[in-house]
């Protein structure tokens, strides 16, 4: 529809009012669509959690206890359905709960006094699937160094892994401590296999920062050298 102009060449008052009304309706429609989309996502998450509980909440408690959670995680990793470690379950629980958990063993989780519920189940699934994407890459290296069946790497074993990644070159204890502080999510001073992903990422971040520092030092040294050469040239020209 062509715009309606008045005698002075501007859009007519009625037309402006109509356009404003249309714009307001479109804005309200967009808001409604966004609300509907958010509600749909919320409903999908509710359905997802309900499906998990329906299949794995054998105790009908409204959440997943230790063994129930282990069964759920195993279903998401069929190759290891009956071989999910306690260390992995602890890691998932810690990632899905905001407070720091204590795991002397399975404790309150294994006895059923604690369980994952509602949104925490969605977070648990998300974190577990993210871990599985890296599983094949890290598993062989981790298992080779964690050969005591604990499912964890202590500082000595972690250092051995980092030296392997560093082509056999010595690793500073301070760097190992930094990596350990980032990756020991479940048990202080120990890194689980899921935490090992964070350990590798933290190590490469340290290496990148160190390399960037070397490059900056080289740049500054080169710059200062050029400045000194220019000064000497100026002194030479002024003298002669």
């Amino acid at each position: 529809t062509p715009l309606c102009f008045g005698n002075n060449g501007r859009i007519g008052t009625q037309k402006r009012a109509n356009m404003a009304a249309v714009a307001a309706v479109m804005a309200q429609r967009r808001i409604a669509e966004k609300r509907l989309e958010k509600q749909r996502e919320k409903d999908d998450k509710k359905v997802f959690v309900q499906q998990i509980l329906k299949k794995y909440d054998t105790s009908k408690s409204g959440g997943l206890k230790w063994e129930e959670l282990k069964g759920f995680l195993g279903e998401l990793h069929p190759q290891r359905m009956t071989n999910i470690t306690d260390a992995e379950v602890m890691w998932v629980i810690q990632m899905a709960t905001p407070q720091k958990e204590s795991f002397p063993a399975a404790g309150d989780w294994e006895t059923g006094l604690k369980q994952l519920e509602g949104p925490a189940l969605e977070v648990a699934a998300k974190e577990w699937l993210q871990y599985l994407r890296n599983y094949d890459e890290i598993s062989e290296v981790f298992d080779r160094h964690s050969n005591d069946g604990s499912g964890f790497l202590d500082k000595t074993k972690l250092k051995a892994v980092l030296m392997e990644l560093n082509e056999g070159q010595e690793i500073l204890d301070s760097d190992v401590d930094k990596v350990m502080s980032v990756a020991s999510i479940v048990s202080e001073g120990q890194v689980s296999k899921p935490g090992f992903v964070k350990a590798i990422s933290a190590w490469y971040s340290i290496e990148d920062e160190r390399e960037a520092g070397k490059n900056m030092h080289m740049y500054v040294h080169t710059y200062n050298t050029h400045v000194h050469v220019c000064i000497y040239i100026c002194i030479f020209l002024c003298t002669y």
Side-chain angles (χ1 to χ4, degrees), residues 197-214:
V197 178
K198 285 186 175 294
I200 294 175
S201 177
W203 164 247
Y204 283 124
S205 294
I206 291 172
E207 284 291 279
D208 289 343
E209 289 176 6
R210 184 170 290 129
E211 189 64 28
K214 288 180 180 178

Side-chain angles (χ1 to χ4, degrees), residues 185-233:
I185 299 171
V186 172
S187 179
E188 187 174 351
Q190 297 185 102
V191 176
S192 63
K193 187 178 287 187
F196 188 49
V197 178
K198 285 186 175 294
I200 294 175
S201 177
W203 164 247
Y204 283 124
S205 294
I206 291 172
E207 284 291 279
D208 289 343
E209 289 176 6
R210 184 170 290 129
E211 189 64 28
K214 288 180 180 178
N215 292 337
M216 178 59 69
H217 177 75
M218 185 177 298
Y219 170 80
V220 171
H221 176 73
T222 303
Y223 174 80
N224 288 339
T225 300
H226 288 166
V227 170
H228 290 155
V229 170
C230 290
I231 292 173
Y232 292 146
I233 292 174

Side-chain angles (χ1 to χ4, degrees), residues 67-234:
E67 289 300 326
E68 294 169 341
L69 178 60
K70 185 179 284 190
F72 169 56
L73 299 178
E75 179 102 353
L76 293 176
H77 197 186
Q79 299 92 327
R80 299 173 56 235
M81 186 172 291
T82 59
N83 193 30
I84 306 301
T85 67
D86 287 349
E88 288 173 324
V89 178
M90 292 176 193
W91 180 83
V92 168
I93 291 173
Q94 186 59 78
M95 296 301 291
T97 52
Q99 70 277 5
K100 179 67 176 176
E101 294 294 336
S102 177
F103 298 103
D108 291 343
W109 291 93
E110 190 170 16
T111 58
L113 293 177
K114 287 186 177 182
Q115 61 183 13
L116 287 186
E117 305 173 352
L121 290 173
E122 182 196 347
V123 175
K126 179 182 177 182
E127 294 291 344
W128 181 248
L129 291 173
Q130 180 65 37
Y131 161 58
L132 293 183
R133 292 190 186 98
N134 300 287
Y135 182 82
D136 291 336
E137 298 176 16
I138 67 169
S139 187
E140 189 273 331
V141 177
F142 185 92
D143 290 342
R144 181 154 29 89
H145 289 273
S146 177
N147 50 14
D148 58 359
S150 67
F152 290 94
L153 296 176
D154 60 17
K155 181 177 178 178
T156 301
K157 292 178 179 179
L158 177 60
K159 185 174 183 177
V161 174
L162 297 181
M163 284 184 64
E164 183 177 320
L165 295 175
N166 203 35
E167 299 179 347
Q169 297 183 34
E170 187 63 31
I171 304 294
L172 296 175
D173 283 341
S174 58
D175 288 344
V176 181
D177 290 337
K178 288 179 183 177
V179 172
M180 182 68 76
S181 67
V182 172
S184 58
I185 299 171
V186 172
S187 179
E188 187 174 351
Q190 297 185 102
V191 176
S192 63
K193 187 178 287 187
F196 188 49
V197 178
K198 285 186 175 294
I200 294 175
S201 177
W203 164 247
Y204 283 124
S205 294
I206 291 172
E207 284 291 279
D208 289 343
E209 289 176 6
R210 184 170 290 129
E211 189 64 28
K214 288 180 180 178
N215 292 337
M216 178 59 69
H217 177 75
M218 185 177 298
Y219 170 80
V220 171
H221 176 73
T222 303
Y223 174 80
N224 288 339
T225 300
H226 288 166
V227 170
H228 290 155
V229 170
C230 290
I231 292 173
Y232 292 146
I233 292 174
C234 289

Side-chain angles (χ1 to χ4, degrees), residues 21-40:
V22 170
V25 170
M26 292 178 65
Q28 291 176 351
R29 184 179 299 170
R30 283 194 294 270
I31 293 173
E33 289 174 349
K34 287 182 178 179
R35 286 177 180 169
L36 183 61
E37 183 178 351
K38 288 182 178 180
Q39 184 61 46
R40 190 180 296 118

